């Protein structure tokens, strides 16, 4: 795993831990977005969704590593995620997207 990928994974885990102190582990919005992304990216090795708005569902951080992003640049990868979530994005204030291709072992 790259240092950037490790940083984002640890950061997301920290956000979940801090958030779990005051709210349920996974919110309804996080579950809904995860479900849509799993259907849109069935070959993904990692999909993580975190409500970073304090629990109100206005802003999410999404981490996806998928071979479906192979040969795509960062902008193309983010457009793929935006397309998958187009109906949900209209109700959000913001969306932080972190994408990548899984590293071979």
């Amino acid at each position: 795993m790259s240092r950037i990928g490790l940083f984002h994974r640890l950061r997301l885990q920290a956000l979940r831990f801090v958030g779990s102190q005051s709210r349920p582990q996974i919110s309804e919005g996080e579950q809904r977005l995860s479900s849509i992304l799993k259907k849109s990216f069935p070959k993904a090795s990692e999909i993580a969704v975190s409500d970073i708005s304090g629990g109100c569902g206005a802003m999410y951080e999404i981490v996806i590593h998928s071979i479906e992003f192979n040969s795509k640049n960062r902008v193309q990868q983010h457009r793929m995620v935006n397309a998958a979530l187009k109906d949900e994005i209209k109700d959000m204030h913001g969306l932080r997207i972190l994408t990548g291709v899984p590293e071979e072992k």
Side-chain angles (χ1 to χ4, degrees), residues 76-95:
Q76 292 169 323
Q77 294 172 14
H78 287 209
R79 285 181 179 160
M80 291 169 70
V81 175
N82 283 329
L85 298 175
K86 67 182 178 204
D87 293 332
E88 286 70 27
I89 288 175
K90 62 185 174 193
D91 297 325
M92 292 181 199
H93 174 72
L95 184 62

Side-chain angles (χ1 to χ4, degrees), residues 32-50:
R32 185 178 69 253
L33 295 179
S34 274
S35 175
I36 292 167
L37 292 169
K38 286 175 184 174
K39 289 176 187 170
S40 298
F41 301 98
K43 297 178 183 176
S45 62
E46 177 183 10
I47 294 178
V49 178
S50 182

Side-chain angles (χ1 to χ4, degrees), residues 20-100:
S20 70
Q21 303 301 311
S22 61
R23 65 178 180 87
Q25 184 68 16
I26 299 174
S27 72
E28 183 180 317
E30 290 168 333
Q31 288 177 335
R32 185 178 69 253
L33 295 179
S34 274
S35 175
I36 292 167
L37 292 169
K38 286 175 184 174
K39 289 176 187 170
S40 298
F41 301 98
K43 297 178 183 176
S45 62
E46 177 183 10
I47 294 178
V49 178
S50 182
D51 182 342
I52 57 174
S53 64
C56 70
M59 186 163 182
Y60 290 90
E61 178 173 273
I62 295 173
V63 177
I64 303 177
H65 290 109
S66 178
I67 60 172
E68 292 150 312
F69 296 141
N70 197 20
S71 76
K72 305 271 192 273
N73 66 38
R74 186 82 37 163
V75 172
Q76 292 169 323
Q77 294 172 14
H78 287 209
R79 285 181 179 160
M80 291 169 70
V81 175
N82 283 329
L85 298 175
K86 67 182 178 204
D87 293 332
E88 286 70 27
I89 288 175
K90 62 185 174 193
D91 297 325
M92 292 181 199
H93 174 72
L95 184 62
R96 183 180 303 151
I97 302 172
L98 308 165
T99 57

